[in-house]
Structures are given as C-alpha cells and as structure tokens.
C-alpha cells in the first residue's frame, strides 16, 4: 500500500461547479497535511495546509481532515478553467520527511 | 527575492557520467530538500537537510549524494548516472512559522540519461 494515495483522474468538472479531490494516507501518526497545485511543466505551489480535524477554508478552497479515517480532501468551489492542474496531496511522516501522492489531474471545462 | 533557484534547467548525460545539480535559496530557511518526480509517481524525497551541516536520507537516496555547503546552498550529485535517474528534480526549502511548515519549490531540473 502506498503511503499517500490519490485517484489519478482525470477529474473533469464544468466551470462554476465544485471540484472534490480526495487523498488517503497510511501513517496514523501523521500530523501535517498539505495540498499543492502543479501546472504542467511547472513546480508545485502550496495551496493549503491543515493540521487539525475538521475544515479549513481559504477563499474558494476548503481542506478537510479526518484523522480517524486517515482521509484528507480538497474542495474547490466555483471552479475556473485556471484551476485546471494536477493537485498533489502531501503528508509529513517523520519530522522533515514529506510523502506525496501521485496527484489528481483536474480539468475545468468552460 | 528570487526564492529557490536551480541550475541547470535541462541536462542530457550519458550513462556513467557525473554531474552536480545546484540549488540556492535566499529566504534564510533552515531546511532544504531534493525531490525527484516521475510520471505517475508523484514527488519522492531523495535527501533533506534540516540545518546547515546536516543531511539525511529520504525515500530514494541510492545513487545520489548531497552537500549542504552553507545555509543558502544544497547540491545534489550523481556520481555515475543511470537511465533510471532520468527524471525532473526539484529542490525545495522550508520555514517553520507559527508552528506550521511551508515548503517552497524551485523551478526544477529536467535530466535525461541516455
């Protein structure tokens, strides 16, 4: 079992819809969770971090964490074509050791 | 601030050749990282350095060495390149602020080993 698992997609949503991206992780001791966005040919950029169970909102983005279920998700409201990218879920397993999922490719259709 | 810079942007090597990938950050971060990214596999940590003078192995360290030259610079060396090391390499640095750690990535180095 991979340490961090995501559906590879592609996930396609119409403009204005809610995009829901999911991630599960295997290390129950993990405390820090991140969502990165990566445009094709570019480097990852941090969108959200979450450390506590529940929801964390930042603009159109909401991260949700459920440590009991070892599940973290990212919701993108009012999706825009500019949101089309690969979204990487990352989990810190030991101090500085961050493990990434393979990413979910999102396409927002105008 | 330039953030995290990497050189070179692209490199083609023959099997057995050596090279060093350079990374520098101007954000005064203590921690620095080297990742590789392969299609369908996400980012995998090669080595990291929690502070100047320290380095630790990550998930896939075999075939690589690193040097934390000073607080700004963290280099990755391939002593004898193999085709399996064809990948995109990202350097990152991080800060710990208000109990939360944020990693910032460089633009990447695309390496092809023939």
């Amino acid at each position: 079992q991979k340490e961090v698992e995501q559906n590879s997609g592609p996930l396609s949503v119409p403009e204005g819809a809610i995009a829901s991206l999911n991630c599960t992780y295997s290390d129950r001791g993990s405390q820090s969770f991140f969502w990165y966005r990566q445009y094709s040919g570019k480097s990852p950029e941090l969108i959200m971090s979450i450390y506590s169970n529940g929801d964390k909102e930042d603009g159109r983005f909401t991260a949700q964490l459920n440590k009991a279920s070892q599940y973290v998700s990212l919701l993108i409201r009012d999706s825009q074509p500019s949101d089309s990218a690969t979204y990487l879920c990352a989990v810190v397993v030991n101090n500085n050791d961050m493990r990434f999922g393979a990413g979910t490719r999102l396409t927002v259709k105008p | 601030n330039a953030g995290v810079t990497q050189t070179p942007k692209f490199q083609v090597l023959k099997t057995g050749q050596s090279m060093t990938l350079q990374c520098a950050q101007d954000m005064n971060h203590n921690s620095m990282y080297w990742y590789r990214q392969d299609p369908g596999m996400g980012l995998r940590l090669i080595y990291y350095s929690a502070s100047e003078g320290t380095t630790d192995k990550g998930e896939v360290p075999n075939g690589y060495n690193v040097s934390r030259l000073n607080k700004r610079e963290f280099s990755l060396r391939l002593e004898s390149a193999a085709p399996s090391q064809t990948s995109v390499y990202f350097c990152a640095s991080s800060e710990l602020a208000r109990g939360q750690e944020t990693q910032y990535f460089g633009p990447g180095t695309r390496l092809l080993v023939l």
Side-chain angles (χ1 to χ4, degrees):
Chain A
Q1 180 191 4
K2 289 183 180 178
E3 288 179 275
V4 182
E5 298 216 42
Q6 300 178 248
N7 288 328
S8 61
L11 173 66
S12 182
V13 300
E15 184 174 357
I18 295 175
S20 177
L21 304 159
N22 304 315
C23 173
T24 57
Y25 60 94
S26 60
D27 185 347
R28 282 198 169 274
S30 297
Q31 299 294 325
S32 305
F33 307 87
F34 304 85
W35 282 101
Y36 285 83
R37 177 176 62 199
Q38 186 176 27
Y39 292 112
S40 181
K42 301 296 185 183
S43 55
E45 53 180 333
L46 182 68
I47 299 175
M48 296 279 290
S49 59
I50 186 165
Y51 301 86
S52 305
N53 278 330
D55 295 359
K56 179 182 178 183
E57 187 174 318
D58 184 1
R60 295 186 297 112
F61 299 96
T62 298
Q64 299 173 317
L65 175 61
N66 183 327
K67 291 184 180 178
S69 300
Q70 296 173 246
Y71 176 91
V72 58
S73 66
L74 180 70
L75 300 177
I76 307 174
R77 289 182 300 282
D78 188 23
S79 295
Q80 302 297 309
S82 59
D83 294 327
S84 298
T86 296
Y87 289 80
L88 304 171
C89 172
V91 177
V92 175
V93 297
N94 281 313
N95 294 328
N96 296 75
D97 194 346
M98 186 179 290
R99 300 296 167 97
F100 285 78
T104 298
R105 189 155 55 92
L106 171 67
T107 300
V108 180
K109 296 187 175 180
Chain B
N1 287 349
V4 180
T5 57
Q6 293 182 235
T7 55
K9 287 186 170 56
F10 303 96
Q11 184 71 49
V12 180
L13 291 179
K14 294 181 180 178
T15 296
Q17 286 185 317
S18 63
M19 79 161 294
T20 299
L21 282 64
Q22 306 286 353
C23 174
Q25 52 95 6
D26 62 3
M27 296 176 282
N28 203 36
H29 290 170
N30 283 320
S31 300
M32 297 185 72
Y33 311 80
W34 275 105
Y35 292 90
R36 60 178 289 173
Q37 187 173 34
D38 302 295
M41 300 197 71
L43 287 147
R44 291 183 292 169
L45 183 64
I46 304 170
Y47 271 93
Y48 66 95
S49 170
S51 62
E52 184 179 350
T54 67
T55 60
D56 287 285
K57 295 179 180 179
E59 188 181 356
V60 289
N62 291 345
Y64 305 95
N65 285 302
V66 290
S67 295
R68 183 73 183 269
L69 304 169
N70 47 54
K71 193 170 186 179
R72 289 186 65 249
E73 299 172 292
F74 188 37
S75 62
L76 178 72
R77 183 159 178 84
L78 287 70
E79 290 291 352
S80 179
S84 61
Q85 293 177 305
T86 293
S87 189
V88 180
Y89 291 85
F90 288 103
C91 177
S93 68
S94 70
E95 63 174 356
L96 183 63
R98 297 185 297 279
Q100 300 185 3
E101 186 133 2
T102 303
Q103 288 198 13
Y104 298 89
F105 285 82
T109 294
R110 283 153 182 77
L111 176 65
L112 173 63
V113 183
L114 301 174

